[in-house]
Amino acid sequence: MKTLYCKNYKGIHHTVSLAMFVFALYFLGGQKQILTSFPFQLLILAGNFFLTNWTLRVSGIDDEVEKILAEKANKKGDN
């Protein structure tokens, strides 16, 4: 399970953060008309992409995942 997460962590985090943002806008903010606007949808996608990449980098998850994957590669190489 750890390997599955490490190989797909960026996709998982991008999907979850996008779902949370759209949920907040649609249900909590009452902005149903804004979500149908194509330029605003592109703005949400672009903002989500850069914000998620920044939070992954600042939180240290990127470095930790790279370290874990390198350790697994070294274990395979030793066998």
Side-chain angles (χ1 to χ4, degrees):
M1 189 69 169
K2 189 176 186 179
T3 306
L4 178 68
Y5 172 76
C6 286
K7 289 183 178 180
N8 299 306
Y9 76 99
K10 284 190 179 184
I12 292 168
H13 284 271
H14 281 286
T15 303
V16 170
S17 65
L18 181 63
M20 289 187 327
F21 186 70
V22 169
F23 176 80
L25 273 179
Y26 189 77
F27 291 107
L28 303 177
Q31 302 297 326
K32 296 175 183 169
Q33 296 83 12
I34 290 177
L35 290 176
T36 59
S37 168
F38 185 69
F40 189 71
Q41 291 172 351
L42 290 177
L43 182 66
I44 289 174
L45 284 174
N48 178 62
F49 177 78
F50 292 113
L51 181 65
T52 303
N53 280 342
W54 178 75
T55 54
L56 287 173
R57 189 177 66 245
V58 169
S59 67
I61 293 176
D62 279 338
D63 299 330
E64 190 66 28
V65 167
E66 287 177 18
K67 186 171 72 172
I68 291 170
L69 290 176
E71 289 173 1
K72 287 193 180 277
N74 287 338
K75 280 185 183 179
K76 281 188 177 181
D78 291 340
N79 291 335

